[in-house]
Amino acid sequence: MRRCTLPFLFFLANIAFGQQSALDPAGPQAGRIRSLESLLFGISVVIFVGVIGTLAVALFRRRRGIQQEPLESTHRPSAQTERKLLVVVSSLSAVSLLILFALIVVSVVTGREISIKSLPRDSLVVEVTGNQWWWSVRYLDDNTQRIIVTANEIHIPTGRPVVIKGTSHDVIHSFWVPNLHGKRDLIPSRVNTEWIQADRPGRFRGQCAEFCGLQHAHMAFWVIAEPPAQFEAWRRQQLQPAAEPSDPVRLRGQQVFLNNACVLCHTIQGTTAAGQNGPDLTHFGSRQTIAAGTLPNTIGNLGGWITDPQTVKPGNHMPQVPLAPGDEQPLLAYLEGLK
């Protein structure tokens, strides 16, 4: 029961500290969306106050007598009342049409400003694939030796546009980083493109925004915006094969990994593990969360995840792999060392 509540508490903590909020824009697209939202909210407040105020006046003003409406007995208003109603209804209808037209124009302009057609040059291209229930991330490059494969984390340099080419491996997912952009559906066999940009360093939580199955709520990811020099250092590290075990315990852990069913689903560059069904684990130890943002990446959480993944994230596609006595701790040490 305690493990089931941990992911929910972790999610609430991220929201509470403002790491996932459309009201805290960190890039140009999110800023434009926030401005449009502020305009719509302001207009809605004015209209709401006007309607409630008019209703209050109608309810509490002094009622007119029957003598002032001689035709009331026939349910026909006087000519003066007819003229007033015509003027009021016509005026309010005209104002409503003008407001709606203005909102359409502003929405279209905002849509053009945040569309892929407005993409600046010198952009980084990242391919994101939604899976039940995790994210595959590939940094594309003309040089195939410089393609980076990771999972559930997207590192980007600040001040530089990043093209997101999104698709899905199974069902419809939706890529959404509220601090950086709006939602974009990821559809099987189709590539939807958008671009994001972070104007300041930070960690911004993303989420699948389209119901995609049992663990839809636990399909999160992180966008980590770093200064360009720091991003390049991360990129160089990711291009390297997995770190070789430096002590007997981790060497034993590598053998445990390679001799069990782990290799059927996961890849670790520099080893014989080349599975494609699960996340690439080459630099797993440097990631901040496990199970697509469900829990912090700690030894304790990782042990619970490997021992019984269905308790942590019921319905996920990771099978329970039986380990021989004494194999779990070396395996955890090896995975932790994959920086």
Side-chain angles (χ1 to χ4, degrees), residues 140-182:
L140 304 184
D141 197 283
D142 293 335
N143 182 355
T144 57
Q145 300 298 319
R146 292 182 56 82
I147 292 178
I148 297 172
V149 180
T150 183
N152 302 320
E153 284 188 5
I154 305 175
H155 287 246
I156 63 173
T158 55
R160 183 180 177 186
V162 179
V163 175
I164 302 294
K165 292 188 173 183
T167 187
S168 171
H169 178 68
D170 34 52
V171 300
I172 297 177
H173 299 282
S174 186
F175 181 88
W176 185 34
V177 192
N179 299 82
L180 299 178
H181 208 312

Side-chain angles (χ1 to χ4, degrees), residues 31-72:
R32 295 184 179 99
I33 294 173
R34 178 71 173 94
S35 298
L36 178 61
E37 182 273 335
S38 298
L39 176 63
L40 295 176
F41 180 77
I43 293 175
S44 300
V45 168
V46 172
I47 294 174
F48 177 79
V49 171
V51 171
I52 297 301
T54 302
L55 179 62
V57 171
L59 290 174
F60 296 107
R61 73 175 179 174
R62 184 178 179 181
R63 295 174 179 265
R64 294 175 295 182
I66 296 178
Q67 296 79 4
Q68 294 176 286
E69 284 289 355
L71 300 178
E72 187 170 326

Side-chain angles (χ1 to χ4, degrees), residues 193-338:
T193 307
E194 66 176 349
W195 68 279
I196 61 175
Q197 179 177 315
D199 293 333
R200 55 182 168 86
R203 297 170 64 249
F204 308 108
R205 190 178 186 274
Q207 178 70 41
C208 178
E210 182 78 21
F211 181 72
C212 55
L214 180 63
Q215 286 301 323
H216 159 71
H218 292 151
M219 187 176 171
F221 61 96
W222 287 92
V223 175
I224 302 171
E226 304 166 319
Q230 188 174 340
F231 169 77
E232 289 300 326
W234 173 86
R235 190 172 188 173
R236 288 193 298 269
Q237 180 194 32
Q238 295 295 308
L239 290 170
Q240 301 300 316
E244 288 294 328
S246 56
D247 57 71
V249 175
R250 289 180 176 172
L251 182 60
R252 168 80 181 283
Q254 183 186 54
Q255 294 171 350
V256 172
F257 184 92
L258 297 178
N259 293 330
N260 278 280
C262 311
V263 297
L264 301 178
C265 294
H266 298 287
T267 292
I268 297 181
Q269 296 179 21
T271 72
T272 56
Q276 300 296 316
N277 294 324
D280 187 299
L281 301 181
T282 304
H283 298 286
F284 169 79
S286 63
R287 297 173 195 165
Q288 300 176 5
T289 64
I290 60 175
T294 304
L295 291 171
N297 188 1
T298 65
I299 284 288
N301 288 333
L302 181 59
W305 171 249
I306 293 176
T307 302
D308 190 0
Q310 297 305 317
T311 297
V312 178
K313 194 171 179 176
N316 78 88
H317 299 315
M318 178 171 171
Q320 185 174 357
V321 179
L323 297 175
D327 283 351
E328 181 179 350
Q329 291 305 317
L331 176 61
L332 294 177
Y334 171 64
L335 293 175
E336 183 194 26
L338 297 176

Side-chain angles (χ1 to χ4, degrees), residues 5-17:
T5 60
L6 281 177
F8 180 68
L9 295 176
F10 187 46
F11 166 76
L12 289 182
N14 291 324
I15 301 299
F17 288 100

Side-chain angles (χ1 to χ4, degrees), residues 80-94:
Q80 182 181 6
T81 301
E82 285 275 18
R83 286 192 296 271
K84 286 183 178 179
L85 287 174
L86 179 62
V87 171
V88 171
V89 172
S90 300
S91 300
L92 292 178
S93 298

